[in-house]
Amino acid sequence: MKKLYLILLLMGTVFLLSAQEIKQMEFVNQSIKDILFTLAQATGTSIIPDDTVDGQASYHFSNTNLEIALENFLDPYGLYSWKKDGVYYVSKIMVKYDDAAGALSLFAKNVEPGLIFEKISKEIKSTILYDALPRERLTVNAESLPVVRVIEIVMRRFTDYEIESSDDYFYVKRRSAKQDIFSEKGTVTIKSENGLFSISADSIRLSDALFQLFSESGYEYSMMKRGDSILENIHFKEKSFDELLRLLLERSDGDFTVREDIYYIFDVSRNEILKKMNNIEYIKSNNIPVEMLPALFPSGLASSSIFKIDKENNAIILSGSFEEITPIRDFITKLEAEYEEKQVSKLYLSFLTVDELLKLIPDRLKKLQITRTGSPRVFIIEATKEKIDDFISFVRMIDRQNEGKAIHLKYIRAEDLLKNLPPSTCEKDIVKSTDPNMVFFKGSDEKLERFLKELEYIDKPIPQIRYELLVVQYQESKNKEFDITIGNEIMQGSAQTTVLGTLGNLINLNLDIVSTFGYLFAIDLNTKIGEAEARVMADTTLNGLTGEDISFQNTNTYRYRDMEIDPDTGEVQSTGVTREITSGLIISINGWVSGDNMITMNVKSTVSKRGADVSSNAGNPPPTSEKVISTHVRTPSGKPVIISGLLQQEKDVAYQKTPILGSIPLLGWLFTSMVETFTNTEMVIYIVPYIEYPEQEELTWDKIFKGYYQKYFDGKIIWN
């Protein structure tokens, strides 16, 4: 036993080690968090990135260990990783604290001060309070220093903050505006003259600049912007209030709006600000179809985000900076000049496709420049006027409608064919007729030949499935004592009658119980039916095409009238509305045949039962109980599927009383007893699906019983 435990332990260890091995994977411009999530799934390891992890990355992982792969991947992107309790954590900040020595180590790459303080506070288990901090990103490497010293290093660049420390907390405090009105490089002032404002500062905080600007103008504002930032070299002269305010906010990723004379200042992304800097040019082409331009652009000249094609007006819209737009504009101008001597025409084919046309072009026209478009029947040709006229004459000669050829469909309908056309055929090539099993093909002879070959794979008979369905209700029977003795022996003469007597309760069933489940199951089921421990609720055969829904329903419908209580008299009266409650057995099946002759089925069965009728007393409908099973199964043809679990418990109440004495009013209750009997029932559904083959010989009961004896009994049986 100890050796077995040791082997299992070693096998588990090998599995864990192999699970953390990374196979070759490659990522191109993918989110770093998505890459880490993929690594976690591939190795079965938990990898948790925090809020500092952002951006995209491109990386190729070779066959290596997870820890080595993480280290090599994260370092170029300024990320750290560490393992704790079997979980890998990834962040741009790594904090280690030696509680005994009071020494803190901090490593951070391109992170805002607020996020750094959150990590430090969590590691040292002490509170760090701070006023609104700048949103500038910092890179800090501090090792084995006191906590207050590390905080001072983080805030060293920001001279308008001071650090207060206590035994219980640290406080990064912002100096008051009056203290901060002077920067290190000189005095900052905002002046206004004739409604225009000027500012000159080598270095100033955005919050201070806004405070002075709004104080000078007398306007009110609400600061909804997160954090603060330092503005360097701010020098603007004689700007309107809104213009100067916008210039200041653009430097700090902000914007404003005015509501009821109050300025609301909020954050915006840098991309939104850069959009305002873009130039937009609308260039109309006179000689070149604009859909040709993207294919003519040299590599690296323009990205798809810079231009947009206006096909309707044969123009191109450019959006970007001056440096981005100018090379594209110059290139288009040169193309226009070169194409003035040639003509460019867009031609439309009526019946042929461009690919078919190119195969038919004569040698004298093969040197023409032909450009495909997104449509299979539209192309662009570039040549002199004489060549284009010659080409158009050739196209008119061959681009003609072929006479339609009638094609008779054997198994599918025309509308089914149109819904599932083969790849080589389009809707224009097929014309429906009044006969639902015939279509006309109007394409070329080459396309007709391909169509007929592909039609052989489509025009096939749809398989049909026969479902042998048997539903049996089993009833739990207590104190059940019976003994069945089964043996094999050679039967002579009256053997067929003996078997018929043994399986007498199963003779009239459609489902071949013996061949499907075996003679032991058949005898047991026959015995239970004979002793009222089992009852056949449904025995039927259902037929349907593959993919079609079929259903079986054996229900009772109960109709009742809605009752209500009169609020004035308190009497129960009818509303005149009749409703229905249906209870019983409902089975729905949707099966289809796969290529390997397996049958896949979606089966849903519902068993419902109506309770006692209380509508006349309380104005409510009778209660109902319902059991539902829905399953998805796959089985070979002829193999049974058994669905069970539809359990119900029924209660029967019987009153027993002593004759004469039990009938005396009031006193009779002393001589009366009530017996409650609970009966548990289970509904079991047996489904045997068959793929129908018409050429198979139909089985008779005589042939079935011959098969039983040959399969289950020894010896030779002589049949008269």
Side-chain angles (χ1 to χ4, degrees):
M1 183 62 69
K2 292 183 178 179
K3 291 184 178 179
L4 177 61
Y5 287 148
L6 180 58
I7 293 174
L8 293 176
L9 179 61
L10 291 175
M11 291 177 61
T13 305
V14 172
F15 173 77
L16 291 175
L17 291 176
S18 62
Q20 294 188 355
E21 292 292 329
I22 298 177
K23 297 182 180 180
Q24 289 191 0
M25 292 186 290
E26 185 172 351
F27 301 91
V28 179
N29 291 331
Q30 297 296 319
S31 168
I32 294 179
K33 287 188 176 181
D34 291 342
I35 294 175
L36 294 175
F37 179 74
T38 304
L39 291 178
Q41 282 191 320
T43 59
T45 307
S46 297
I47 302 177
I48 303 177
D50 64 7
D51 294 337
T52 64
V53 179
D54 56 9
Q56 294 181 323
S58 298
Y59 199 82
H60 177 82
F61 290 93
S62 58
N63 294 327
T64 183
N65 181 269
L66 176 60
E67 292 187 4
I68 299 175
L70 277 179
E71 182 179 354
N72 295 335
F73 167 60
L74 297 177
D75 185 65
Y77 296 98
L79 296 169
Y80 302 96
S81 68
W82 62 94
K83 187 176 182 181
K84 182 179 180 181
D85 298 331
V87 179
Y88 288 89
Y89 296 88
V90 179
S91 175
K92 287 186 177 181
I93 307 171
M94 178 181 286
V95 181
K96 297 180 180 179
Y97 182 59
D98 186 350
D99 193 13
L104 178 68
S105 297
L106 169 66
F107 304 95
K109 296 181 180 180
N110 199 26
V111 188
E112 296 179 6
L115 296 175
I116 294 176
F117 290 151
E118 290 180 8
K119 290 286 186 181
I120 294 176
S121 176
K122 183 177 180 181
E123 185 67 21
I124 67 176
K125 296 181 175 57
S126 182
T127 303
I128 300 179
L129 305 173
Y130 48 84
D131 293 337
L133 297 173
R135 298 184 63 183
E136 297 186 23
R137 295 176 178 263
L138 306 173
T139 297
V140 181
N141 292 294
E143 189 169 1
S144 299
L145 297 175
V147 177
V148 67
R149 180 57 182 159
V150 175
I151 297 176
E152 289 175 352
I153 293 174
V154 173
M155 300 303 298
R156 184 65 183 88
R157 281 193 57 200
F158 313 111
T159 58
D160 51 343
Y161 287 88
E162 57 185 2
I163 313 299
E164 294 183 3
S165 62
S166 174
D167 294 338
D168 302 327
Y169 66 90
F170 298 90
Y171 181 23
V172 182
K173 183 179 180 182
R174 173 83 182 278
R175 296 190 183 95
S176 64
K178 292 182 179 180
Q179 293 175 316
D180 196 42
I181 198 66
F182 297 100
S183 65
E184 292 184 356
K185 297 183 180 181
T187 305
V188 179
T189 57
I190 294 180
K191 297 181 180 179
S192 63
E193 185 175 353
N194 299 326
L196 300 177
F197 296 82
S198 302
I199 183 173
S200 179
D202 294 330
S203 177
I204 187 174
R205 286 202 165 277
L206 173 66
S207 57
D208 294 339
L210 295 179
F211 176 78
Q212 294 183 47
L213 179 60
F214 278 94
S215 298
E216 190 71 23
S217 64
Y219 293 132
E220 296 179 299
Y221 73 101
S222 175
M223 176 62 78
M224 303 175 67
K225 195 175 185 304
R226 291 175 48 206
D228 201 354
S229 59
I230 296 178
L231 308 180
E232 303 283 350
N233 298 319
I234 302 297
H235 304 283
F236 298 109
K237 294 182 179 180
E238 297 181 352
K239 306 293 183 184
S240 66
F241 176 81
D242 287 0
E243 186 178 5
L244 181 57
L245 176 59
R246 195 172 301 279
L247 289 170
L248 294 175
L249 293 177
E250 286 176 351
R251 294 283 298 272
S252 59
D253 298 344
D255 203 350
F256 72 90
T257 185
V258 182
R259 295 287 186 272
E260 297 180 358
D261 297 331
I262 297 178
Y263 285 79
Y264 292 89
I265 298 172
F266 49 86
D267 288 304
V268 294
S269 66
R270 177 56 58 91
N271 290 335
E272 295 297 326
I273 296 175
L274 293 178
K275 287 180 183 178
K276 303 176 184 178
M277 312 300 177
N278 288 344
N279 298 320
I280 299 177
E281 291 192 19
Y282 187 83
I283 302 175
K284 193 168 184 180
S285 177
N286 298 318
N287 303 311
I288 309 172
V290 290
E291 50 262 48
M292 289 181 57
L293 289 177
L296 297 175
F297 286 153
S299 177
L301 179 66
S303 65
S304 58
S305 61
I306 296 178
F307 65 88
K308 184 177 181 181
I309 300 298
D310 181 7
K311 293 183 179 180
E312 184 176 351
N313 298 310
N314 200 49
I316 184 171
I317 303 171
L318 304 178
S319 175
S321 65
F322 177 81
E323 289 75 11
E324 292 173 323
I325 290 178
T326 301
I328 304 175
R329 186 201 318 116
D330 295 343
F331 180 77
I332 295 175
T333 303
K334 287 183 180 180
L335 286 179
E336 286 284 307
E338 293 179 2
Y339 274 77
E340 285 180 354
E341 298 179 359
K342 298 181 180 180
Q343 289 188 359
V344 179
S345 298
K346 181 185 290 186
L347 302 182
Y348 298 84
L349 299 173
S350 300
F351 305 102
L352 295 175
T353 64
V354 177
D355 292 335
E356 293 170 340
L357 175 65
L358 294 177
K359 296 178 181 179
L360 302 174
I361 293 177
D363 293 338
R364 74 176 193 276
L365 300 175
K366 284 187 176 180
K367 294 183 180 180
L368 298 181
Q369 183 175 344
I370 297 176
T371 305
R372 290 180 173 88
T373 64
S375 172
R377 300 183 187 274
V378 182
F379 64 97
I380 297 170
I381 182 172
E382 173 196 347
T384 61
K385 184 177 184 304
E386 293 76 12
K387 288 288 186 180
I388 291 179
D389 292 341
D390 187 14
F391 189 85
I392 292 176
S393 300
F394 168 74
V395 170
R396 289 175 179 173
M397 180 179 63
I398 65 171
D399 188 27
R400 295 181 179 180
Q401 181 176 357
N402 294 337
E403 295 182 0
K405 180 176 181 179
I407 297 177
H408 294 272
L409 303 174
K410 297 179 181 179
Y411 304 104
I412 63 175
R413 297 175 301 176
E415 59 183 78
D416 298 328
L417 173 64
L418 291 173
K419 292 179 182 178
N420 303 278
L421 287 175
S424 65
T425 310
C426 59
E427 293 185 6
K428 293 182 179 180
D429 297 331
I430 304 294
V431 178
K432 293 177 61 177
S433 66
T434 55
D435 186 348
N437 295 321
M438 186 180 71
V439 296
F440 291 95
F441 186 85
K442 302 179 67 175
S444 63
D445 293 338
E446 182 182 353
K447 292 185 66 176
L448 174 61
E449 183 180 355
R450 291 200 302 267
F451 173 72
L452 292 177
K453 289 182 179 179
E454 293 170 340
L455 187 61
E456 295 177 0
Y457 297 97
I458 299 176
D459 191 15
K460 290 185 176 181
I462 300 176
Q464 180 170 305
I465 305 175
R466 183 179 87 250
Y467 303 93
E468 299 289 348
L469 179 66
L470 176 66
V471 182
V472 179
Q473 177 177 300
Y474 292 95
Q475 178 174 316
E476 183 181 4
S477 177
K478 298 180 179 179
N479 301 325
K480 180 179 66 174
E481 294 182 1
F482 62 91
D483 192 9
I484 299 176
T485 302
I486 300 174
N488 294 340
E489 61 181 351
I490 300 177
M491 299 183 180
Q492 302 290 341
S494 60
Q496 181 176 3
T497 306
T498 304
V499 173
L500 291 174
T502 304
L503 304 177
N505 294 317
L506 307 182
I507 293 299
N508 295 325
L509 296 182
N510 289 322
L511 182 60
D512 186 357
I513 299 295
V514 177
S515 296
T516 304
F517 299 101
Y519 71 92
L520 292 177
F521 176 86
I523 294 176
D524 182 61
L525 178 61
N526 182 78
T527 303
K528 290 183 178 181
I529 294 176
E531 297 182 359
E533 295 180 3
R535 184 160 61 104
V536 177
M537 304 297 294
D539 174 37
T540 184
T541 300
L542 305 176
N543 293 278
L545 297 178
T546 178
E548 288 189 349
D549 293 322
I550 59 173
S551 62
F552 172 82
Q553 183 170 342
N554 184 5
T555 58
N556 297 318
T557 301
Y558 171 76
R559 296 176 178 85
Y560 69 95
R561 290 185 177 182
D562 273 352
M563 309 297 290
E564 65 178 4
I565 299 177
D566 191 331
D568 297 329
T569 62
E571 297 180 354
V572 178
Q573 58 185 13
S574 173
T575 63
V577 178
T578 302
R579 301 187 183 274
E580 294 183 352
I581 290 181
T582 300
S583 61
L585 174 66
I586 300 175
I587 301 174
S588 62
I589 306 174
N590 184 303
W592 63 93
V593 180
S594 59
D596 55 355
N597 285 334
M598 296 289 287
I599 301 175
T600 304
M601 296 181 291
N602 286 324
V603 183
K604 183 176 181 180
S605 57
T606 303
V607 176
S608 58
K609 182 179 179 181
R610 178 179 61 86
D613 185 4
V614 295
S615 58
S616 59
N617 298 327
N620 296 320
T624 59
S625 62
E626 187 175 72
K627 305 292 187 300
V628 179
I629 289 181
S630 180
T631 185
H632 184 80
V633 294
R634 190 167 184 258
T635 181
S637 176
K639 295 297 182 180
V641 174
I642 303 175
I643 301 174
S644 60
L646 295 169
L647 304 174
Q648 283 189 336
Q649 187 180 69
E650 299 179 358
K651 182 178 72 172
D652 293 328
V653 180
Y655 291 91
Q656 299 177 352
K657 60 182 179 180
T658 303
I660 301 176
L661 295 178
S663 301
I664 300 175
L666 299 179
L667 186 62
W669 285 99
L670 300 176
F671 302 95
T672 303
S673 63
M674 181 182 68
V675 179
E676 290 185 354
T677 303
F678 292 90
T679 304
N680 294 322
T681 61
E682 180 182 11
M683 198 78 68
V684 181
I685 301 171
Y686 304 91
I687 303 175
V688 187
Y690 295 91
I691 303 175
E692 289 280 43
Y693 296 102
E695 65 274 11
Q696 288 184 348
E697 181 182 2
E698 183 178 358
L699 293 178
T700 62
W701 274 108
D702 186 63
K703 295 178 181 179
I704 291 174
F705 279 113
K706 280 185 179 181
Y708 290 165
Y709 275 99
Q710 293 173 0
K711 185 174 182 181
Y712 298 112
F713 295 94
D714 296 330
K716 296 182 179 179
I717 306 300
I718 299 175
W719 299 87
N720 296 323

